[in-house]
Amino acid sequence: SVSIVAFGNERDRFSEENQQPSLIWSYLRRSALISQIDSSSSASHVRNPVFTEYQACVFGNVRLVVHDCPVWDIFDSDWYTSRSLVGRADIIVIKYSVNDKTLFQELKDSYVPMIKKALNHSSVPVIISAVGARKNGMPCTCPLCTLDRRSCVTTSEGVQVAKELGATYLELHTLNDFYIQKYFGGVLEYFMIQSLNQKSSEKIKKRKKMQRCHRVQPPQLEQPDKMPILKGEASHYEADLHNLLCCCQCADVAFYPEDLSTVVEAHKIILCSVSHLFMLLFEVKSPADIHDASIVQTAQSLFTVETETTFPSASRGVPPCVLPVRVVVKDSTFCSCLPDILRFIYSGAFQWEQLEENIKKKLKDPEKTEHVLENVKCILKTPGKLNSIKDCRSHKIKQLCSTSLRLFFNTPILADVIFKIQGATVPAHRAVLVARCEVMAAMFNGNYLEANSILVPVYGVSKDTFLAFLEYLYTDSCCPASILQAMSLLICAEMYQVMRLQHICELYIITQLQSMPSRELASTSLSIVSLLKKAKFHNSDCLSTWLLHFIATNYLIFSQKPEFQDLSVEERNFVEMHRWPSDLYLKQLAEYRNYVHAQKCHCAVM
């Protein structure tokens, strides 16, 4: 069989013909060598498939499996799956549109190093396909747009990326029969033949090796017991922030109409993470830092920050010394739509169509609706750049909060709580902590000392581990530097009952141990039994079960280590029962070696 993995989107996002069939599907459908095509999608979301799997036959009876991943986000959201796909691939195809310079730059800066690291100097052939005819159109003039349609990816830029990966570079000006079948198909089929020849050669060598002792067959070594499979937990980052708005815990800003008849509470940290206008309003940035007069003018025309200390209501979960900021909304029409706008922002600022529909139903006036939507665009605007409504619908906006909240991680800006740990201080924001962690929500909103304190001591974890824990709460991602750090982070996650982070650490530990060669596993100072004890103590049942199977599967290595004696009687019995290779196989192997040795020592003359 041959396995092909294709990454990237060759379609031009700005072209009206962006619904054309993909390069991989066009090749499979048109090639005379391909037959019995079947496809299926693997998706984390119905409208955003991670990859499409095609199965077919090539060269008559050779099984062909193709995984087409059009979205590069798989390397960010599910690095375990992406690394597995690259590791099993016989051929890798990287596609991009020559008219999408922004996506190409992201590919070059972020994902090429990841692929290069995953390949790890292996001999897997890589094909880079630059698709499309270069266009020189007028630049986009819509608000919120950060792209320039005149900038195309040059041939030299594509060749440079191909050199970095040791890849074959192809330019496909159009997806017609010549470019797909003869040009792209010819190169792809050459590498398929090379892969099949290599596999055939390895199979012949293996067969010859097995036939050396033809008189007495060596004992058959059965496969070890299957390891338990750990499944990742879906992110609920956006839901956490949306629930924060609904319950109004730790709100530190209150919006009022000019008659003070109603109040809408919100959180500075969330608003500032998505809007430079709110940064200006809450003095995180000055007008000189913004460099955009439209943002300053919109802020002055929409809002007024009051300095009085008397408020109609106080917010829950905020210490008495931290009073909410009162903001008067001057525009009555905008103020009536403010709850819908805040729900849009707290939900990740990507459901633009839903926001449009809600405002249209509420106002029932096209002019007023357009006026409010223009103000929302200005709120989301990046200083000095033209923005468009297309960006409100783009998938990149979906990660806006998680990437922007990183700017406020471990900084005193807008911080309303300070953790004291190992003699150092770590600033944080109650709103983020309460939204992302149920234990901290109870701590800051219940009858605890921390609810009315700015300085909160932390015990039982190191500063680096606690910082990694906070980074996950702010960004919904983590990247441990080692197995020991991942275990420390897992213990911290169990302490604060953040189950998804605990599962991420479990997957990291398992992946690192699986990739460790036997020689390194035998010489490492890392105690697997100690990891097992910690996993059991901190209720990590999946990891503890997997580690027991791991010790049993590598029985010959771990049985020689002193730490093996630290296993309990129950654990030792489990390992002995599931050990690999089995005791019966080792006895059969000893008898076979004695037989071979006797044959070599037998005198041929006598």
Side-chain angles (χ1 to χ4, degrees), residues 4-12 20-28 50-52 54 66-72 75 92-100 103-108 111-112 115 126-132 153 158 161 165 167-172 175 180 184 188:
I4 300 174
V5 178
F7 295 105
N9 190 353
E10 68 277 21
R11 296 186 177 95
D12 185 356
Q20 62 181 350
S22 66
L23 172 61
I24 296 299
W25 174 245
S26 298
Y27 168 74
L28 294 175
V50 176
F51 60 80
T52 301
Y54 301 100
V66 183
H67 292 91
D68 192 2
C69 310
V71 181
W72 286 103
F75 281 89
I92 294 177
V93 178
I94 297 176
K95 310 165 293 177
Y96 64 87
S97 171
V98 296
N99 295 303
D100 198 337
L103 193 59
F104 175 81
Q105 197 65 36
E106 186 178 354
L107 160 67
K108 179 182 177 182
Y111 301 114
V112 167
I115 295 177
V126 180
I127 302 174
I128 294 183
S129 301
V131 181
V153 183
V161 171
L165 291 173
T168 301
Y169 177 77
L170 304 177
E171 282 204 354
L172 311 176
L175 298 183
I180 289 178
F184 174 77
L188 188 62

Side-chain angles (χ1 to χ4, degrees), residues 223-234:
Q223 293 296 321
D225 292 343
K226 290 185 177 180
M227 296 282 197
I229 300 175
L230 270 71
K231 295 183 179 180
E233 182 181 344

Side-chain angles (χ1 to χ4, degrees), residues 25 38 163 186 403:
W25 174 245
D38 185 23
K163 287 182 178 179
T403 54

